[in-house]
Amino acid sequence: AFRKDDRATLDRKELFKNTLRKAAYAWKRINELRLNEQEAYKLRSFVDQAAFTDLHWGMFVPAIQGQGTDEQQQKWLPLAYRMQIIGCYAQTELGHGSNVQGLETTATFDPKTDEFVIHSPTLTSSKWWPGGLGKISTHAVAYARLIIGGEDHGVHGFIVQLRSLDDHLPLPGITIGDIGMKFGNAAYNTMDNGVLRFDHVRIPRNQMLMRVSQVTREGKYVRSNVPRQLVYGTMVNVRQKIVADASVALSRAVCIATRYSAVRRQFGSHNGGLETQVIDYKTQQARLFPLLASAYAFRFVGGWLKWLYMDVTERLQANDFSTLPEAHACTAGLKSLTTTATADGIEECRKLCGGHGYLCSSGLPELFAVYVPACTYEGDNIVLLLQVARHLVKTVSQLDSGNKPVGTTAYMARVEQLMQYHSNVEKAEDWLKPNVVLEAFEARAARMSVACAQNLSKFANPEQ
Amino acid sequence: AFRKDDRATLDRKELFKNTLRKAAYAWKRINELRLNEQEAYKLRSFVDQAAFTDLHWGMFVPAIQGQGTDEQQQKWLPLAYRMQIIGCYAQTELGHGSNVQGLETTATFDPKTDEFVIHSPTLTSSKWWPGGLGKISTHAVAYARLIIGGEDHGVHGFIVQLRSLDDHLPLPGITIGDIGMKFGNAAYNTMDNGVLRFDHVRIPRNQMLMRVSQVTREGKYVRSNVPRQLVYGTMVNVRQKIVADASVALSRAVCIATRYSAVRRQFGSHNGGLETQVIDYKTQQARLFPLLASAYAFRFVGGWLKWLYMDVTERLQANDFSTLPEAHACTAGLKSLTTTATADGIEECRKLCGGHGYLCSSGLPELFAVYVPACTYEGDNIVLLLQVARHLVKTVSQLDSGNKPVGTTAYMARVEQLMQYHSNVEKAEDWLKPNVVLEAFEARAARMSVACAQNLSKFANPEQ
């Protein structure tokens, strides 16, 4: 049932039916083996094929867990756990990706009927990309601007039923489609990413996710005392998983390229004997070995991020928000760094396998196609790097005011010393001392941050 | 007939039938419109789909034109021109890509029957990759080691019939297959790249391409007085075309990304108005505009390479080989530089389009998948760059002996002056003077070449 060697040759319809079959069989095995959610997650990841179940478990359920009230969780989670409803996560719109605050879909409170009216006022407000939406999902957590009495309270999440549980047809006012083929032969084409438009769709008031903010029967907007920063904890969690996945993807590519390099021979035979293994060429080593090292480094830093997530979560629950900005910068920066390096690294591994890397049978083209969207989703890498830069510059500018930097930026407290730092490395072996390497990085990072902050202070508009 | 919007959704079989249909229709139009070969080439390129006809016209016919005797050309070319036979180019083997001299297929002369016996002695000697071979070709120009009386005379080209002209079945001793799916949805999957094995296949002696070397009826190996360097002229021609194609591919990607950047808006609205066009962000400009500039630069250098090819050809015909090494280095270096920059640039353009770039409908995923093999074929880019480096180092080392460098390396004659060069740039506008830029590049190139030559001279084995 989990066979995958035929994936590249299937047409879109067969590919998708194949995914349905695998998802159903995985669900059957999960129940038969009485797996817990962590074990089930592992099994689904071993199926190694993007499916609607990823988003149901990875975003729909967590959104309700994180943003739903106790009553909402009691009502919706059991249905979701038994897959009696299947959910997707409808956030991005055709015209709005990175800028969540710019979403256009509206949820207008109607006090007469105690309902929200969900509506897509423009073409650009069409929901675009939600995985599982195109053909499968019965429900969505949809994000929309909350409008009460003409006042805009910003973007909130709503549980909206999309399709009938009887005949699976879209409900009145719901228009759904599949957004079409994506990069690669199989890759994300096993997933039914969709487009969704709402034409004045009515849902009961209690389907707004109300853990953080509520709308009362009278149409009053109330913030709960649950700290809004909790949302960032979820973001740290999602990005920590992306970093862990980067290590897995890069390891697979490096493994393939290393084995190939050990088997493949080209040029340079001695006395008419066998040609040289390509792994023995310095040019091959200089490209392959740093990727091998990165795969390990990403694994270790992924483990550290997991610890960071737990640490931040504990602090948040104790109303300690002090480490949040630094944790946010670390996950944003590492998400960006590891996914960029992994996407480029998979393609480099493909090229390291010469012509054979271009064949789907090498595994590398599909690995690349299924991996690269990680550079864009959950925060575009360039946008995230700018956020890291902003955090570093802010850290520098606050040093004078006595704000003590924490965690990975703690070294900034020694900025004056670091600006004067001269390496006393004399021979190659000196670089084998971790503290020498660490201090060099700290000095370089401090100098670059200070220089950047000084340059930026010359401009009034940060985009200049 | 040339419709292509459905390509990404077709399965392999439909995709291939679709290609056959287009190739047949293009052939019909070429005949109806009485197009000459140059016009026909343009029409086929507008069909914009890799097909067996590319290799028939681009490699099979030119191989016979370049390496066949007058008699061979008179016999085979009319058949090929009328497509009564369809040819492919069977050079690379499963175990041998870059190292053509390491090919294992043998062509053993049998003086009893006046025939060559073409044979695949090992698994690694299987022909691998020839486009058009898998399902279509009736003939191949196959490269094999010429063996006469036990003596190995190196790799030569042979015209071998593969399939019956009656029922299209493989002839006795011929085993053919398709090597399977390649990177991308459509991309090179419209082409039937194949695998081929010979089991003691006999061909008449006059099917060895004998313009440069001959085998007589008595089994004597004779070199003609046609200069062997003519072969390099063909290589210059092929690589010049690849550079021209790089400009076309990068232009398409940049065009898509630029239009997207002008339409897409994200963040930064003023007073609740429209968000900012992403083309107005410095971060977008810093990534997009250098690619736009490169697309133009590659176009101009492609035109220059075309001139270089004509110049070299004229000189070769007058037995002047003096500019050949430099021309070879230029085409190798520019092939490597432009294809690497274009492959990376298409992927960068894809990322510049955010999530939308991941959709096949953006055009970018397929453009990338169909383009990237250019980094590997006709000389792997890393191998070619090493050849350029070798040429430069050799040029440096020959300066003392009074060898005058020519063409693009002529500046090396001023090496002593360039090693002392100090830029007198004082203000930004100084960089607008072309001679300032040119001199800076020359100084840098000279210094790096000299430094590299000095470093290399410390090692006996150049791989160290």
Side-chain angles (χ1 to χ4, degrees), chain B residues 439-454:
Chain B
E439 192 136 40
F441 275 124
E442 288 177 346
R444 181 163 162 77
R447 285 173 200 185
M448 289 175 77
S449 303
V450 169
C452 185
Q454 284 171 345

Side-chain angles (χ1 to χ4, degrees), chain A residues 8 11 94 96-99 129 181 183-185 188 264 266 275 281-282 287 355-356 358 360 369 382 463, chain B residues 8 11 94 96-99 129 181 183-185 188 264 266-267 275 282 287 355-356 358 360 369 382 463:
Chain A
D11 69 6
L94 182 57
H96 311 277
S98 302
N99 186 12
W129 274 116
M181 289 296 278
F183 199 168
N185 302 66
Y188 271 93
R264 179 70 167 186
Q266 287 281 275
E275 293 173 270
Y281 287 102
K282 292 273 188 295
R287 297 159 74 197
H356 295 291
Y358 193 64
C360 283
I382 302 297
E463 256 299 315
Chain B
D11 69 8
L94 182 57
H96 311 277
S98 303
N99 186 12
W129 274 115
M181 289 296 277
F183 200 167
N185 301 67
Y188 271 93
R264 180 71 167 184
Q266 287 280 274
F267 293 109
E275 294 174 271
K282 292 271 187 300
R287 297 158 74 197
H356 296 291
Y358 192 63
C360 284
I382 302 297
E463 255 299 315

Side-chain angles (χ1 to χ4, degrees), chain B residues 103 164 255 360:
Chain B
L103 293 178
S164 160
C255 181
C360 284

Side-chain angles (χ1 to χ4, degrees), chain B residues 288-308:
Chain B
L288 180 60
F289 292 175
L291 297 174
L292 175 62
S294 297
Y296 278 101
F298 296 172
R299 181 163 178 182
F300 300 141
V301 83
W304 175 77
L305 268 187
K306 196 170 178 178
W307 166 84
L308 187 76

Side-chain angles (χ1 to χ4, degrees), chain A residues 2 23-35 43:
Chain A
F2 293 147
Y25 190 69
W27 177 241
K28 184 163 168 261
R29 294 300 288 156
I30 286 163
N31 284 317
E32 283 172 359
L33 298 168
R34 298 169 180 274
L35 302 184
L43 185 138

